[in-house]
Amino acid sequence: MSQNAASAVISNRYDFAYLFDCKDGNPNGDPDMANTPRFDPETFQGIVSDVCLKRKIRDYIFTLKSQSGQPESGYDIYVLQGNSLESRQCMPFSKLPELKDKAKGNKTERKDIDAARAWMCRQFFDIRAFGAVMSTTDFNCGQVRGPIQVTFARSIDRVMSTEHGITRVAYTTEEKAKSTSAQTEMGNKHTIAYGLYLAHGFVSPHLAQPPKGTGFTQADLDVLWKALANMFDLDHSASRGLMARRGLYIFKHDSLLGNAPANELFELITVSRKAGVESPRSYSDYEITVNKDKLPTGVTLWTIASDGSLVEV
């Protein structure tokens, strides 16, 4: 791809289906339920929130683009652990000469907010992708709706959370360690045996188009696909067990506004248990069917290689 093509703002609509699984882990704990895996109380299907998925995307891209120690230009992350939003929103007011006398408490006009918003979009990948509300501090950078949206992921079948008691031979405090009655300390963790999850995503290029859009480019989109392909490999932990990307099915439209409804495209992908399987315990217990012969005119189906490159199905 040429440099000009990579830097061009996206002009094609995409809809994508994303399959991933979790084995012997907790894919997304619910803080209101003692951090047990999220689930639908009616169907007992497991749930992973869109916020959780976007956190993994952000972390992967920040790591990918910060291998020299500092993030590459345009690939800093706005919602980054350990940083306040205010520390990000104040940046354009110190970087742009026309905004230096408009910071904190001084009157901010619409043109100033627009200039700050445009600067934030240029600097932060996740603002260009997901949008952001940046008007909640004294440094008003406005708000912008992003072209990339992701749904909650839902497991194909029901999941059952199990609580495990765990022990620790080390004590929390010196006082307890010296006590003659000290016993091994106890804790717990929650896991599911196995769950295959399906999320859906949307790329709406009209929300990237200047002057009101975020300026999300083809290069940004390529990085997003690479993150979805590889992000679980940078997010391993004992609590999450084995998590892996199992499928990414990308419907590319040959127009800005699209050539078919997203729901009709998603219905071309069927995920079902193999015959005789009652309690799935691995990805091999499922069968994925893609009815590509029914693709509407103007839509092509792509998947992704581990290097982030797209391959037409």
Side-chain angles (χ1 to χ4, degrees):
M1 182 184 297
S2 69
Q3 186 173 358
N4 288 340
S7 61
V9 174
I10 56 171
S11 58
N12 295 87
R13 199 187 101 190
Y14 296 81
D15 304 299
F16 61 92
Y18 187 56
L19 275 171
F20 62 93
D21 63 2
C22 177
K23 184 175 184 179
D24 296 327
N26 183 348
N28 184 205
D30 186 343
D32 288 330
M33 295 287 287
N35 208 45
T36 58
R38 297 182 190 272
F39 68 96
D40 183 325
E42 290 189 76
T43 65
F44 287 91
Q45 288 171 285
I47 289 175
V48 173
S49 73
D50 61 319
V51 174
C52 175
L53 295 175
K54 288 190 286 187
R55 175 77 272 147
K56 297 179 192 302
I57 292 170
R58 286 182 168 104
D59 288 346
Y60 179 88
I61 291 174
F62 186 75
T63 302
L64 176 69
K65 294 296 186 177
S66 301
Q67 295 184 57
S68 64
Q70 293 293 327
E72 295 178 19
S73 177
Y75 286 95
D76 204 348
I77 296 297
Y78 176 61
V79 183
L80 187 67
Q81 184 175 3
N83 292 270
S84 70
L85 300 184
E86 184 177 45
S87 71
R88 307 315 229 176
Q89 289 173 217
C90 73
M91 288 181 176
F93 291 90
S94 62
K95 300 289 186 181
L96 297 176
E98 65 269 30
L99 296 184
K100 287 189 176 180
D101 62 343
K102 302 293 180 68
K104 202 163 186 176
N106 295 321
K107 185 177 180 180
T108 307
E109 300 176 2
R110 169 50 59 185
K111 65 180 180 64
D112 302 321
I113 296 173
D114 289 344
R117 180 180 61 81
W119 189 93
M120 296 291 281
C121 286
R122 290 193 300 271
Q123 296 300 314
F124 295 101
F125 171 86
D126 52 338
I127 294 178
R128 286 198 305 280
F130 308 126
V133 175
M134 301 173 286
S135 54
T136 55
T137 72
D138 290 327
F139 302 94
N140 187 355
C141 300
Q143 50 188 287
V144 64
R145 186 178 171 194
I148 312 300
Q149 300 299 329
V150 182
T151 69
F152 275 35
R154 180 177 290 267
S155 68
I156 304 302
D157 289 295
R158 62 186 293 167
V159 298
M160 183 64 69
S161 176
T162 302
E163 182 177 4
H164 308 274
I166 55 176
T167 60
R168 186 179 67 187
V169 295
Y171 302 110
T172 304
T173 65
E174 277 294 303
E175 181 181 1
K176 191 166 187 179
K178 294 175 181 178
S179 171
T180 57
S181 60
Q183 297 179 345
T184 302
E185 295 195 344
M186 297 284 296
N188 57 37
K189 65 190 303 184
H190 303 269
T191 67
I192 60 172
Y194 183 78
L196 178 63
Y197 291 79
L198 175 63
H200 297 99
F202 312 92
V203 182
S204 304
H206 67 282
L207 296 175
Q209 301 299 309
K212 295 294 186 181
T214 66
F216 192 82
T217 67
Q218 184 60 49
D220 293 332
L221 185 61
D222 292 341
V223 172
L224 174 68
W225 298 143
K226 192 168 187 177
L228 289 170
N230 300 303
M231 63 188 188
F232 289 116
D233 288 323
L234 292 189
D235 193 51
H236 293 301
S237 78
S239 64
R240 281 186 279 276
L242 293 173
M243 296 189 69
R245 180 258 305 177
R246 292 299 187 175
L248 177 58
Y249 303 94
I250 303 166
F251 296 95
K252 180 180 180 180
H253 302 252
D254 67 6
S255 66
L256 185 80
L257 299 181
N259 300 78
N263 65 295
E264 293 182 5
L265 299 177
F266 294 145
E267 288 168 359
L268 299 179
I269 301 173
T270 304
V271 184
S272 57
R273 279 176 281 167
K274 291 182 178 178
V277 175
E278 293 186 2
S279 299
R281 286 295 182 268
S282 71
Y283 180 66
S284 62
D285 289 333
Y286 286 94
E287 187 171 59
I288 316 298
T289 303
V290 181
N291 197 349
K292 60 181 181 180
D293 293 334
K294 291 189 176 181
L295 280 173
T297 302
V299 179
T300 51
L301 178 60
W302 300 73
T303 188
I304 195 163
S306 59
D307 63 357
S309 60
L310 294 185
V311 180
E312 189 169 1
V313 178

